[in-house]
Amino acid sequence: MIWNRTSECMTRRDMIALQGTRLSELVERVYFNVPYYREKMQQAGLGPESINNIDDLQKLPFTTKDDLRDNYPFGLFALPTSEIIRLHASSGTTGKPTVVGYTRKDLATWSEVVARTLTCAGVERNDFIQIAYGYGLFTGGLGLHYGGEKIGAVVIPVSGGNTGRQIQIMQDFNTSVLACTPSYALYLAEYIEEMKIDRRSVKLRTGVFGAEPWTENIRREIESKLDIKAIDIYGLSEIIGPGVASECMFQKGLHVNEDHFIPEIIDPVTLEPLSEAEEGELVFTTITKEGLPLIRYRTRDLTSLDYQPCECGRTLVRMKKCTGRSDDMMIIRGVNIFPSTIESILLDIGETRPHYLIIIDRVNNMDVLQVLVEVDQQFFLDRIGQLESLRQKIRSSLESTLGISVDVKLVEHKTIERSEGKSKRVIDKRRLD
Ligand code: DLL
């Protein structure tokens, strides 16, 4: 099933023409309505007449999270607040949050793109969607909510947390689709197992998981434990929230709703555009948004693009599953390391659980990397004598891939805190000083 065949199955030529028209309209709007953009364009020697098609996109300057923060809270809005009918904000770990505003039309666009996301995941009007993303300033809960209503499914707005109640609701209401972060899905699966809840009393068929990076290993774990298809959905508040891109049933990359958000991939260091299939930083230009349109917004997420049409019939460009962010990269003793690399190594070793914590510290002016990893409960009970050899095995796998020494600590089941929303898997004590 495809939600909007006209937009999702266009020829490349038609898409480029549509993007070009929308882009030049956008540039005209922001030039006259947002002093920040006007100044930046003037500095680059550009006027609205300079941008006529998508080849001109690369002439425009980038926008970053810092630009949004510097103009906190409403400085980049392109319309007066009398036209804005909803605000959301992204929490952010440092400094001020980023505030995003939606007009009535923006909310309609948001419902449309989330309806596409859900249809991509095989969700239909007969489904019962349990939304366990947080409701509030975070875009996850309300974003999925209105998309679910748009397709006519039965929306169950539980919000995050209270795991026992989540499961009770799944059983009583016959929930068929679960929407939450992958880390919470994993926690729910674990809870069902531990409480010895009969898996058949839960009728889940599909999960729409996103808001944080997750690997193929985690996907396999969730799919087998919950006996569902786990679909990756991507988005960010600044661009709209969930609904930016989603996997279809083929799970071969995430279709980007590029009639609304033009993606580009750039080298995060030189800022030069990269070609198809090259991995780099994802950049978006929102060509239909009214409240807070963004030009060449640097997401910091790392991925690549594939323009080949998909087996599902959609021609929308696909982005590879995002495994990390350029600002997630840890530099430990000069070596660039991504948390996702550590996660893959840990999960390839059978006896460990997908729960780990990476701790970086500086001792005597030297960076030290410690990895805490949970081990199967059975292992602690039956094979305690083999713990040391398991620890050595993990250490040598990590060290040979990362090229630096790693202190590995095996911990018992449930030692590492579970998360109901986005998980936090890295503690960098060097930054806390
Ligand atoms: O997380 C929006 C969202 C809600 C997406 C629910 C999907 C489902 P923010 O809180 O602004 O918005 O965080 C955006 O989260 O730049 C990525 O780094 C990360 N992210 C979101 N989805 C994925 C994903 C929402 N599927 C930031 N895979 C983004 C990897 C993701 N990272």
Side-chain angles (χ1 to χ4, degrees):
M1 261 265 292
I2 293 175
W3 176 257
N4 184 337
R5 209 162 260 283
T6 317
S7 306
E8 296 178 75
C9 307
M10 262 186 215
T11 62
R12 184 64 20 212
R13 236 179 84 194
D14 288 349
M15 180 59 81
I16 288 174
L18 177 71
Q19 290 175 330
T21 311
R22 290 184 168 174
L23 176 66
S24 51
E25 285 165 7
L26 161 81
V27 168
E28 171 128 357
R29 266 190 294 126
V30 298
Y31 188 88
F32 291 110
N33 295 334
V34 187
Y36 164 85
Y37 280 119
R38 185 163 54 247
E39 271 163 39
K40 274 194 120 173
M41 283 180 62
Q42 283 169 346
Q43 279 164 13
L46 299 169
E49 70 295 340
S50 327
I51 311 297
N52 299 302
N53 55 51
I54 59 164
D55 292 333
D56 294 330
L57 181 59
Q58 290 173 12
K59 297 181 187 163
L60 290 163
F62 293 103
T63 312
T64 63
K65 205 174 186 82
D66 282 342
D67 296 323
L68 281 166
R69 289 206 175 113
D70 293 346
N71 291 282
Y72 178 85
F74 309 139
L76 293 192
F77 284 15
L79 284 173
T81 45
S82 55
E83 298 299 317
I84 302 291
I85 61 168
R86 175 97 66 79
L87 294 178
H88 280 278
S90 79
S91 49
T93 41
T94 51
K96 287 187 181 135
T98 322
V99 181
V100 293
Y102 303 73
T103 63
R104 194 171 299 281
K105 181 166 165 247
D106 290 335
L107 289 184
T109 306
W110 195 11
S111 302
E112 158 74 21
V113 289
V114 176
R116 290 187 199 173
T117 286
L118 289 169
T119 312
C120 238
V123 183
E124 296 181 3
R125 60 197 314 258
N126 292 329
D127 277 302
F128 285 63
I129 314 180
Q130 184 156 333
I131 300 179
Y133 285 112
Y135 278 65
L137 287 175
F138 175 54
T139 52
L142 285 166
L144 267 298
H145 183 106
Y146 285 98
E149 285 191 353
K150 177 139 182 128
I151 65 171
V154 182
V155 171
I156 316 172
V158 192
S159 195
N162 202 340
T163 307
R165 186 162 146 264
Q166 296 274 1
I167 295 187
Q168 183 78 51
I169 289 175
M170 278 179 205
Q171 292 171 319
D172 294 352
F173 298 171
N174 283 337
T175 303
S176 52
V177 180
L178 172 65
C180 63
T181 58
S183 46
Y184 192 51
L186 203 56
Y187 180 48
L188 279 163
E190 208 174 64
Y191 187 93
I192 290 177
E193 210 169 66
E194 253 165 39
M195 303 308 264
K196 304 211 168 18
I197 293 166
D198 180 4
R199 175 58 196 84
R200 283 163 306 178
S201 68
V202 175
K203 304 280 187 305
L204 285 183
R205 175 171 61 80
T206 301
V208 279
F209 305 131
E212 63 183 5
W214 50 311
T215 55
E216 289 296 338
N217 284 318
I218 298 270
R219 172 171 7 227
R220 278 194 291 276
E221 182 98 17
I222 297 175
E223 288 193 330
S224 74
K225 286 206 155 144
L226 287 176
D227 192 17
I228 59 171
K229 197 158 182 115
I231 298 288
D232 189 8
I233 68 169
Y234 169 90
L236 61 163
S237 341
E238 296 91 318
I239 300 306
I240 203 152
V244 176
S246 164
E247 276 180 344
C248 62
M249 300 300 271
F250 290 93
Q251 298 173 311
K252 288 186 182 154
L254 291 82
H255 293 280
V256 179
N257 285 310
E258 54 173 324
D259 51 329
H260 295 285
F261 321 112
I262 306 180
E264 294 174 85
I265 301 289
I266 60 161
D267 180 317
V269 180
T270 63
L271 306 186
E272 287 302 316
L274 296 177
S275 45
E276 182 172 354
E278 278 188 286
E279 182 171 295
E281 181 179 333
L282 181 62
V283 168
F284 279 113
T285 300
T286 65
I287 41 178
T288 53
K289 260 201 352 194
E290 294 183 331
L292 178 65
L294 289 176
I295 291 187
R296 303 193 85 194
Y297 183 71
R298 294 186 55 188
T299 64
R300 307 281 169 186
D301 293 318
L302 300 171
T303 184
S304 59
L305 296 176
D306 176 359
Y307 284 90
Q308 291 304 312
C310 178
E311 290 161 72
C312 71
R314 290 176 183 82
T315 51
L316 295 173
V317 61
R318 278 171 289 162
M319 57 183 254
K320 217 175 82 194
K321 202 169 178 5
C322 267
T323 45
R325 293 171 55 81
S326 58
D327 51 6
D328 261 3
M329 191 178 77
M330 309 173 284
I331 305 183
I332 306 172
R333 278 186 239 158
V335 181
N336 299 347
I337 297 172
F338 284 98
S340 56
T341 312
I342 297 185
E343 177 175 307
S344 292
I345 299 169
L346 293 177
L347 294 184
D348 281 343
I349 295 173
E351 296 91 342
T352 56
R353 310 292 314 122
H355 302 290
Y356 61 92
L357 190 64
I358 298 167
I359 302 172
I360 313 154
D361 204 351
R362 183 162 284 147
V363 179
N364 298 332
N365 286 324
M366 176 83 138
D367 293 340
V368 287
L369 170 63
Q370 187 183 49
V371 178
L372 266 53
V373 56
E374 283 188 13
V375 175
D376 270 345
Q377 205 165 15
Q378 225 34 48
F379 208 101
F380 266 99
L381 296 175
D382 305 341
R383 294 157 68 189
I384 195 133
Q386 292 165 30
L387 275 178
E388 181 52 24
S389 63
L390 176 62
R391 197 181 74 82
Q392 292 295 353
K393 181 166 136 194
I394 298 172
R395 203 186 70 174
S396 76
S397 291
L398 285 171
E399 290 183 347
S400 68
T401 306
L402 306 177
I404 60 168
S405 58
V406 186
D407 174 23
V408 173
K409 198 169 163 201
L410 303 181
V411 295
E412 281 193 63
H413 189 57
K414 281 279 169 79
T415 313
I416 294 167
E417 201 188 334
R418 304 295 189 256
S419 102
E420 290 167 356
K422 301 191 191 224
S423 57
K424 183 159 172 41
R425 296 200 163 109
V426 180
I427 298 178
D428 193 342
K429 295 187 174 166
R430 298 173 304 182
R431 290 192 201 140
L432 303 176
D433 294 340

